[in-house]
Amino acid sequence: MSEPVEFEVVLYPDPILRRVADPIERFDDALRDLVHAMFSRMKKSNGVGLAAPQVGLRQRVLVLNPTGEKADDLALVNPTIVARAGPRVVYDEGCLSFPGIFAEIVRPERCTVRAFDPLGNPIEKEFEEFTSRIIQHEYDHLEGVLLVDRMSPAEKQKHKGALEDLVHRHKRGRASAVTRPG
């Protein structure tokens, strides 16, 4: 038995967050271990959703839990949003890849998703309200779309300093990785 995988959250502006994720081709123990590790990271980070690119993986997997109750854990593999409906609603969204930043984001109230569970069973379901919002947010990550892309110009201006701090932190991290003896 292998050691359990421990992930760290990848922060903006890491390039992996901008890449479109690749479909999962094998529904095996490795996928189920990945899903388990993603749930673990999401919960340790006090998040309600997490997409594989946020832990450095270019795979079309997202996990969420809108309530914190174990029974509400939901993993979607190779999801596609096939419809969005209802009124467009404003909500203050946060993102684990943008720590401490919350921005008013407009999204449709409902979405219909076609996906698979980690065992390979097909899912097609309409989600609404908070669960729909989480899915749409995490789905954006699979498409390389980030919280900053959904912000209004006023929200970008409001968070300009925090966004610049994340960019500087990323650049410092890369510079120290290059100069570190290996």
Side-chain angles (χ1 to χ4, degrees):
M1 182 157 174
S2 62
E3 288 291 312
V5 177
E6 281 282 330
F7 288 122
E8 293 300 321
V9 174
V10 173
L11 301 181
Y12 174 82
D14 192 293
I16 189 82
L17 297 172
R18 289 288 183 193
R19 296 191 182 109
V20 176
D22 297 324
I24 293 292
E25 295 181 9
R26 295 180 54 170
F27 292 81
D28 56 11
D29 288 341
L31 173 62
R32 289 180 284 286
D33 289 346
L34 165 65
V35 167
H36 178 76
M38 286 178 63
F39 272 120
S40 177
R41 170 44 50 206
M42 179 188 81
K43 290 171 184 175
K44 285 179 184 172
S45 299
N46 296 315
V48 294
L50 186 68
Q54 291 182 276
V55 294
L57 302 174
R58 245 179 104 176
Q59 296 178 310
R60 294 191 76 78
V61 178
L62 63 87
V63 299
L64 65 135
N65 185 315
T67 67
E69 297 294 324
K70 177 75 173 147
D72 292 328
D73 280 357
L74 177 62
L76 299 174
V77 180
N78 296 339
T80 302
I81 294 179
V82 295
R84 298 175 202 244
R88 295 173 54 80
V89 179
V90 176
Y91 187 85
D92 215 25
E93 284 186 27
C95 179
L96 295 177
S97 294
F98 291 81
I101 297 175
F102 293 86
E104 291 185 349
I105 306 297
V106 179
R107 295 188 190 273
E109 185 178 52
R110 296 187 312 277
C111 69
T112 302
V113 176
R114 196 174 291 144
F116 297 91
D117 71 14
L119 298 173
N121 300 309
I123 300 168
E124 184 163 346
K125 183 174 178 182
E126 182 179 75
F127 297 91
E128 58 186 23
E129 298 172 346
F130 190 50
T131 303
S132 172
R133 179 167 294 273
I134 297 167
I135 290 169
Q136 291 179 69
H137 177 105
E138 301 309 333
Y139 183 80
D140 276 353
H141 279 294
L142 302 181
E143 296 297 316
V145 176
L146 305 178
L147 181 67
V148 68
D149 303 327
R150 298 282 184 202
M151 287 182 189
S152 69
E155 287 285 344
K156 285 181 188 173
Q157 186 60 38
K158 175 180 166 185
H159 297 292
K160 183 177 179 184
L163 292 168
E164 288 174 349
D165 286 348
L166 285 169
V167 170
H168 292 309
R169 184 189 310 178
H170 180 73
K171 286 180 180 175
R172 278 195 314 270
R174 276 200 333 237
S176 64
V178 169
T179 59
R180 208 177 290 136

